[in-house]
Amino acid sequence: MSSCRRLGGGLAQAGGSLRLSCVVSGSFFGINSMGWYRQAPEKQRELVADITRGGITEYADSAKGRFTISRDNAKNTIYLQMSSLKPEDTAVYYCNAHVYSDPYTGMEYWGKGTLVTVSS
């Protein structure tokens, strides 16, 4: 099986920046899309950004222009560079990956989540 290890997160000041990293490790055939989600208090989990294996990205409206998702396929790692942070960015952030155990079988993995707190 595979797992996702989260790095980064923490406390930041409004207007500051943070970088999140997630390494998907284990034995698998390959990784298709990967993404970052977040869940703020009293809110549902929402997609922040995702990226295909080929590098095509999509962002939530709230993240456009401020966040950048990237991936290193050789390292099975995704990153989320967050800048111009706002208090409303405060949430638990989760990495997600669609992993294929073989050419035909897809499996979805979620990270445990890391708390990002942005102070005013």
Side-chain angles (χ1 to χ4, degrees):
M1 63 179 295
S2 300
S3 63
C4 184
R5 191 177 300 277
R6 299 84 52 207
L7 297 173
L11 178 64
Q13 190 176 36
S17 63
L18 286 172
R19 183 178 177 88
L20 305 182
S21 301
C22 180
V23 179
V24 180
S25 61
S27 298
F28 48 82
F29 180 77
I31 303 175
N32 191 5
S33 62
M34 305 178 76
W36 288 96
Y37 292 74
R38 69 185 181 189
Q39 186 167 17
E42 308 300 325
K43 294 184 178 180
Q44 293 185 329
R45 186 176 299 183
E46 64 174 348
L47 173 68
V48 178
D50 61 14
I51 183 170
T52 69
R53 182 174 180 83
I56 301 173
T57 60
E58 183 175 0
Y59 296 90
D61 289 340
S62 61
K64 290 179 180 178
R66 300 187 300 119
F67 294 2
T68 301
I69 186 171
S70 61
R71 64 188 291 169
D72 187 331
N73 290 333
K75 298 180 179 179
N76 295 329
T77 302
I78 57 171
Y79 306 92
L80 185 67
Q81 178 65 50
M82 302 182 289
S83 61
S84 301
L85 285 165
K86 304 175 181 179
E88 52 262 43
D89 294 320
T90 297
V92 176
Y93 285 72
Y94 301 86
C95 66
N96 169 268
H98 289 174
V99 177
Y100 287 84
S101 58
D102 58 57
Y104 312 104
T105 305
M107 304 175 66
E108 187 172 10
Y109 292 89
W110 288 93
K112 296 297 183 181
T114 183
L115 177 63
V116 171
T117 301
V118 183
S119 62
S120 300

